[in-house]
Amino acid sequence: MSLQEPFSSRDPSPSTTLGRISRSRDDMELDIKQPETPLDETAGHEEPSRELKTLGEGPVAPGAAAEAVEGQEEEGEVNPGYKGWLNLLGAVLINLICYGMTSTFGVFQDYYQTHQLASNSATQISWIGSIQYCLCPMLGCISGPLFDAGYLRSLVATGGAIYVLCFMMASIAKEYYQFLLAHGIGVGIGMGLMFSPSVSTLSHHFARSRYRTLAYGCQASGSAVAGIIFPIMLRFLFPAVGFGWAMRIMGFIILLFVIVAFFSLSRVHPPRKKIAVLSPTVFKNPAYTLYVCGAGCISLAIYAPMNFGVTYASANGLSTSMANYSLAISNGCSIVGRIVPLMIAQRVGPINILLTFGITSGVMLFLWTLAKNQSGILAFDALYGISSGAYAASLNAGAASFAPHPRQSGLYLGMCFFTMAFFWLAGTPATAALIRGKSNYLPATMFCGAVVILGAALIFFGRLLRFTVSTWDPSSSSEDIHKLWSKTLPSLEPAYAIPAEKLHSLLVAHTARVFVATSPSTPTLGFALTYTIRLGSATMPSGQHLKGGLSMLVVDPLHRNRGIGSALHDAALSYLTKTVRDSLTRSDPPAKEGGIILGSVFPRIFPGVPDGPEFEPARRWFEKRGWAFGKDRSIDLYRTIAPGDQLNKEMEPLLQRAADHGLRFGPPQASDDAGLYALQKLEFDGFTGWPDMFPALIDSGHRDDIHCAFDSQGNVVGATIAALYRSGSGEPRNPAHAALAWPETLGKACGIIACVGVASSTRGSGAGIGMVASAVLDLARRGADGCFIDWVHLDGFYQKCGFAPWERPYWEAQRSVTVG
């Protein structure tokens, strides 16, 4: 972003002492109409520039490319490729034989009560399924860390072998304890060894993919598919081939799925050298602790209609066949709940989906006993399947999102499952004990509904603690902010890397206000950088209120879709709106309307959201939050400089035309200051930041960084900034270089041309382009190796001096602030 062209444009916006503007008036955040002032006969001018935010919650980032933010979300989005989708197939199959089988236990509960275990109580039988529910997640505390250590295939092979063997042994069981050992404990152990690692593989392949949440939804749908197929299969197999062969046939199907999963599951990140089988330290994060406790409470009771839906339907007059179908209907509808809501979760985050449908399920549990006939029961089962399915699908994605890195997802999932296992263990027997007789389910439903609502409340409070947004202390280190920046936007466009010292100087600028999102496990999840600037010059009475700028919005790619980008955006926007509105009421005369731009004038990083498919999700993210984008794009320009005859030949025709009109060019002397200031006051007083930049350079001892056009009488008829700073020289930056991000990344001696403007009476004489040509030669003489011009809208003007577009064009946006 350069100061040059934008200043000469027509941006009558507030200015700061550092002002350097390069953008068009349409970009002004304020709704103030500025007079257009063409730079020279060849072109109009641009308005002050404004910085762009980058990376946020959206796909890239809530900001310009990023949440963002709160949208591509990533260290660079990673395509999962065929290995990722093949891995997803394996994860679906594992879930199909794990939670798909536990969600089918209602069929076994009903069959055992009337056949093999008819002499045992419903509560005793329910312990078989409850132990499965318990061991499957509980062993995640072992299998999850072992997965992190690299033992994926060993866990799948061992767990699959135990599962199939014990399922086959259940086919020959006669006594209650045998069913408990084989169908409960043995099968549960096999499930526990396989399930957590299979879920953890998703974070390896999809952590930085736009399909992340959808992948978790597809994985969760495996249990719903099994919930349709398995009850129907068992309904026909039990009477057709008997209990023994029905179990053996199911065992062979399970074996087939285990083999396919063994060869399809894979990992991406290298194994961790140090693992913790049980790591209570993860519970130092209060948000994670509340999430796990809340999820445990919900899981205690949310599956009651699956476990007792068949017996409830039978108790209310449905045939055995229809009662079994009711479970298949519920599981079938849960496929919709496990996929469709999670497509929305890619925008709003899995925890928000979990909360929504957790509360919905709790309310429906209170109403369960109102369904007393076949149509009512089947309708309830269908709707409840959708609601509970959405909860189940978002549970894993929510837990994995707390992991600071995908390599730790196994640990966080494992500890979550381990804790929840105790709730699952108690859930089914507790519900069974509250069922009075064979038909009074009211006490059980009241208990289940209350527990689920309690769990949702805990998750809600955990969500509030998940991260906090606060104002960054300028006296503190900016190392974490620089690390976050370096792994976001530069991964999409390497040229956007900013040195740590330069970024720090932009963060601590006089009018900067930085908001950071932090959590107990991650010091910096995201940040938003804002600036304010006076609308007019220091001597312009009608332009003393402020313009705001949301300069940057960046969210860690690993933590997007959690509302971080939105929270940072809201905090920054609230601050800017209040600041601008207060300045409107204090101005004299009072003003009624001001504005905020997506970017900033001074200091400035971007003029808008970078163009390109990688950044398009970020642009849409801001549009949905009320930012109005213009139809035109601005660009940055750059050229290399090598002093010599070739450069002189390039500039000679441009200088000759001006000379023919009696014009000459050079730095101003002290005697020229009055004329220079008068020119800025007359022609550019309403341009934000522009008029104040010239006295700022002179007062700081950088007079040589100004280049003027003089008429034949020696009057100043044009002026531009032609600043030079040598990186690493140790000398203080001039105000122009201090305000811009990119020149110091383009070479050790990159010059800046900005605020190019000539008197209206002199336009048409070649003064503007001649002054730019002379400034390029002056920079070459002083040792510049290149020259940067930012925020340009004059198509073809600077190209006459050999400038070409640098990196990407930008889309600019703004929003208004009113009083009253």
Side-chain angles (χ1 to χ4, degrees), residues 66-81:
E67 33 222 17
V69 153
E70 10 218 336
Q72 280 168 355
E73 337 175 310
E74 345 235 356
E75 206 167 326
E77 182 181 343
V78 176
N79 189 329

Side-chain angles (χ1 to χ4, degrees), residues 82-158:
Y82 81 92
K83 287 186 177 181
W85 295 108
L86 184 63
N87 178 85
L88 178 59
L89 171 64
V92 170
L93 293 178
I94 293 297
N95 193 33
L96 189 146
I97 60 177
C98 290
Y99 283 105
M101 189 61 71
T102 59
S103 66
T104 307
F105 188 76
V107 175
F108 290 103
Q109 175 86 21
D110 185 62
Y111 191 84
Y112 285 154
Q113 286 183 209
T114 57
H115 292 80
Q116 279 84 348
L117 302 176
S119 60
N120 295 90
S121 68
T123 301
Q124 288 177 316
I125 296 172
S126 70
W127 277 104
I128 298 173
S130 188
I131 289 175
Q132 282 184 11
Y133 271 123
C134 172
L135 290 177
C136 183
M138 178 182 287
L139 292 182
C141 71
I142 297 175
S143 60
L146 287 176
F147 164 80
D148 290 339
Y151 294 98
L152 171 61
R153 296 194 187 281
S154 299
L155 289 165
V156 174
T158 303

Side-chain angles (χ1 to χ4, degrees), residues 173-302:
K174 301 296 183 182
E175 302 294 333
Y176 172 74
Y177 78 89
Q178 294 172 338
F179 284 100
L180 190 67
L181 289 173
H183 198 182
I185 298 175
V187 169
I189 291 174
M191 291 178 176
L193 293 177
M194 293 187 294
F195 181 73
S196 181
S198 71
V199 177
S200 298
T201 61
L202 299 182
S203 65
H204 280 240
H205 292 278
F206 292 91
R208 298 189 183 93
S209 168
R210 70 182 64 185
Y211 304 108
R212 175 180 59 192
T213 305
L214 180 61
Y216 279 101
C218 291
Q219 180 270 342
S221 69
S223 62
V225 172
I228 300 172
I229 299 173
F230 289 169
I232 296 175
M233 288 180 59
L234 293 170
R235 163 76 180 83
F236 285 99
L237 287 175
F238 283 152
V241 298
F243 175 79
W245 271 106
M247 296 293 284
R248 293 177 200 123
I249 291 172
M250 293 294 293
F252 284 120
I253 294 174
I254 293 167
L255 177 61
L256 174 63
F257 289 167
V258 169
I259 292 173
V260 174
F262 178 85
F263 289 105
S264 60
L265 291 173
S266 61
R267 54 183 299 132
V268 173
H269 300 289
R272 297 183 65 197
K273 295 180 180 180
K274 296 181 180 181
I275 62 171
V277 173
L278 285 175
S279 181
T281 56
V282 298
F283 292 110
K284 290 183 178 180
N285 182 342
Y288 177 73
T289 301
L290 286 172
Y291 176 88
V292 172
C293 292
C297 288
I298 294 177
S299 299
L300 180 74
I302 197 170

Side-chain angles (χ1 to χ4, degrees), residues 706-752:
I706 300 174
H707 210 70
C708 292
F710 302 91
D711 63 14
S712 57
Q713 283 76 43
N715 300 315
V716 177
V717 294
T720 183
I721 293 170
L724 179 63
Y725 171 73
R726 293 174 176 78
S727 301
S729 63
E731 61 188 52
R733 292 185 177 92
N734 60 67
H737 277 83
L740 297 180
W742 307 120
E744 292 176 52
T745 70
L746 297 175
K748 293 184 177 181
C750 181
I752 294 173

Side-chain angles (χ1 to χ4, degrees), residues 59-61 64-66 72-73 77 210 492-493 609-620 633 808-809 811:
V60 164
Q72 280 168 355
E73 337 175 310
E77 182 181 343
R210 70 182 64 185
L492 299 175
E493 182 54 76
V609 178
D611 192 16
E614 315 94 308
F615 299 94
E616 181 59 24
R619 190 164 80 98
R620 294 198 303 267
R633 298 175 300 172
R808 302 165 182 265
W811 294 102

